[in-house]
Structure formats: structure tokens, C-alpha cells
Amino acid sequence: MRRTRTHLSHFNTAAIQPSMGKRVIFFINNNLNCVSMPKGSVRTEGDVRKLPSSQFRFASWHCLEEHDVRGDQLACPRVREGPAEEELSVNSEDIFLRGGRRKRREERTQKWEERLQENWENCVVLNLSYQDLGDPYQLENFTRILKRLIRVEHLQLVDNSLKDLSSVRLPRCEILNLHRNHLTSVRQLPKVPAIQHLCLSENSISSLSELSLLRNTPLRSLTLKRNPCQFLEHYRSRVFTCLPNLLVLDGIPKLPEDCVPPPSPAAARFCIIL
């Protein structure tokens, strides 16, 4: 038997709007501590106070079957389907070891109508930022959704503590924002053959040699600010050497001095005395 568990966070999901054309889903940033005001009233700085839901603000999973919090008191609730009861009693390692069997069981029991309601395959512009993926079950389900984004062109994945997306393929994605995650290598990026604008700022990428993996893509703009690799010697010239078709790096267009290839490591060891 599967329960519905309520997870409270700063962020609220807007409803999927049906349309004849492209489908767009946005995750909107709101403040959990803001009290909704009556219609026609004016909010002042002193009107902000804590809600009863604030006690669950930093929690991962909470079963709220019996509580004193009313629905109109929740500024930004996030309701998710939690793991089965038997899975809550085992640790995360056991969950991953049994992942294959569990996945097959879920696919047998999940109705086709439920998958049609999600309709991730038709998303073109999607914002999945600030998801607070603190539970292994949440991360697994989040990865499952990413693998279904076969038509997405503009994807925001800001501040999700993501470590490895190499198993994900986004064949039509042109704009990808992975700002403030935990990526340590370009190899951990999803497969994005159509990428044009890529933001990797505030990650932990320390090497530039793997940028050559993006050479065969139509990449025009790349952001690597606040990564360890930004402090390497001849940083900009090395990036443009790996990506000769790149036009903009860290918001700065390609300059003439960026076209000068960096000196080889062997030449750097010699010292000329005049």
C-alpha cells in the first residue's frame, strides 16, 4: 500500500496547462513564511510571520494524516508520492540493491493513464530547479523524469545537488542550466548533441581537458564561473582551444588574445636568461 506524503519546501509547482501547442511547466520560487493576504489589502514589511507549516520546513518526509494545519495555511506545499511502507524500514543501500526488482514491480502496477497525466515527453520549456532532493527515492524519481524529456529544448536544473547525469539523454536540448550543483567532470553531463548554451557555474569542475567532448556540438556560449578550473593558467585560451567554435565564455565574447594557443607544458619548463 503506498501513501501520499507531504513535503514542504520554498518552491511551488505551477499546474500543467493544457494547450494545443507546446507544453510548458514552471516551478515558481515563493517564500514559505509569507502569509497570504485578503484581496484588496496592502502588505507591509511587518506583515510577514511564521506559518504553522514552518515546523516542517527542513524535513524530508512527513506523514501529515493528523495535524492542525489547514490547507489555506500552507504557502507553498509540495505533495509527493512517497515510497512504499516496506521500503521505509530498509536503508538506502538496500533500496538501490533492490532497485531493479522494485522498478519492474512499479512498471507492472502503474496505470497507463497516470503516465499520460505527467506527459513529460511533450515538455519543451521546463524549470526543475531547487528540488531539495534529500531522499534517495526523490533522486531516483527525478532521474526517471529527466530520461523522459525527449523534446525539451530549454531546461533549468539550478541548485539540485546533482552529481552524475551521464545516463540521461536530452536529444533536443539547446539551453541547459546546471548552475550550483555537484558536478566534478564534464563526463557527468547528460548527452546533449544539440546544446548551444550551457551554464556550469558554481560546480566542482577542475579539469579542462574533457571539454573536447563537447567539440562536436553546436555550443556557442559556456559558463564555468566559480569552478576550480577557472583559476588554471591560460584558462580562457585553453577553453577556446578545446572548443574552437565557442563564441562566449563566462559572459565575455571571444577576444583576439583568446585565440592564441597556450604554451605547451614542455616549453613552460625552460627559463630564458637575458
Side-chain angles (χ1 to χ4, degrees):
M1 187 67 182
R2 189 178 295 275
R3 292 184 179 179
T4 298
R5 299 188 177 273
T6 303
H7 178 71
L8 308 176
S9 94
H10 297 280
F11 300 90
N12 186 23
T13 62
I16 302 178
Q17 300 295 335
S19 62
M20 297 300 292
K22 299 181 179 179
R23 182 176 296 271
V24 182
I25 305 177
F26 286 100
F27 282 64
I28 304 173
N29 180 0
N30 286 318
N31 190 337
L32 184 64
N33 292 330
C34 289
V35 181
S36 56
M37 304 294 291
K39 185 177 181 180
S41 61
V42 179
R43 182 187 299 276
T44 63
E45 293 183 0
D47 290 333
V48 178
R49 63 183 186 272
K50 288 188 176 181
L51 293 172
S53 59
S54 298
Q55 59 182 313
F56 306 108
R57 180 174 176 179
F58 301 105
S60 293
W61 291 104
H62 273 280
C63 183
L64 304 181
E65 295 178 350
E66 297 180 3
H67 54 81
D68 299 327
V69 180
R70 301 191 309 272
D72 57 355
Q73 294 176 315
L74 301 179
C76 301
R78 180 193 295 168
V79 180
R80 291 177 172 174
E81 187 179 27
E85 290 297 327
E86 61 271 13
E87 294 174 356
L88 294 176
S89 60
V90 298
N91 56 35
S92 59
E93 293 183 2
D94 293 335
I95 290 178
F96 283 117
L97 289 175
R98 299 192 310 161
R101 288 178 292 176
R102 184 183 65 185
K103 182 177 181 180
R104 289 192 295 269
R105 184 171 66 251
E106 288 178 346
E107 290 178 350
R108 288 195 300 266
T109 56
Q110 187 177 29
K111 295 180 180 179
W112 178 247
E113 290 80 4
E114 296 178 356
R115 294 201 173 192
L116 289 179
Q117 290 177 359
E118 293 183 0
N119 201 15
W120 296 107
E121 287 78 4
N122 290 328
C123 292
V124 176
V125 178
L126 182 61
N127 190 345
L128 293 175
S129 302
Y130 309 103
Q131 288 299 295
D132 191 19
L133 304 172
D135 192 279
Y137 181 86
Q138 296 172 329
L139 182 59
E140 182 182 3
N141 190 55
F142 186 76
T143 306
R144 178 187 66 84
I145 292 175
L146 293 181
K147 291 180 178 179
R148 296 179 59 183
L149 301 176
I150 58 176
R151 293 182 176 87
V152 70
E153 297 177 2
H154 187 171
L155 181 59
Q156 300 279 344
L157 298 175
V158 176
D159 199 3
N160 283 328
S161 301
L162 300 172
K163 297 180 180 180
D164 191 358
L165 297 175
S166 57
S167 62
V168 178
R169 179 176 175 81
L170 305 171
R172 296 189 182 182
C173 186
E174 298 178 355
I175 302 176
L176 177 60
N177 190 349
L178 285 166
H179 170 73
R180 195 176 297 167
N181 281 279
H182 295 165
L183 301 172
T184 60
S185 170
V186 177
R187 294 184 180 275
Q188 296 171 341
L189 293 176
K191 298 173 179 61
V192 281
I195 192 66
Q196 296 183 19
H197 305 279
L198 177 62
C199 179
L200 298 174
S201 56
E202 293 194 33
N203 279 269
S204 300
I205 299 174
S206 58
S207 175
L208 296 174
S209 59
E210 296 178 348
L211 287 177
S212 57
L213 298 174
L214 301 172
R215 181 172 296 180
N216 294 327
T217 65
L219 185 63
R220 296 186 296 172
S221 172
L222 175 64
T223 302
L224 290 171
K225 290 181 179 179
R226 298 184 182 180
N227 277 275
C229 63
Q230 187 184 14
F231 303 99
L232 295 175
E233 191 176 10
H234 307 292
Y235 159 68
R236 289 185 61 86
S237 60
R238 292 177 64 179
V239 172
F240 284 105
T241 300
C242 293
L243 302 171
N245 296 325
L246 190 68
L247 300 178
V248 179
L249 175 61
D250 296 337
I252 302 175
K254 190 175 184 179
L255 303 174
E257 52 267 29
D258 296 330
C259 301
V260 179
S264 63
R269 290 196 296 265
F270 291 96
C271 179
I272 300 177
I273 301 177
L274 298 177

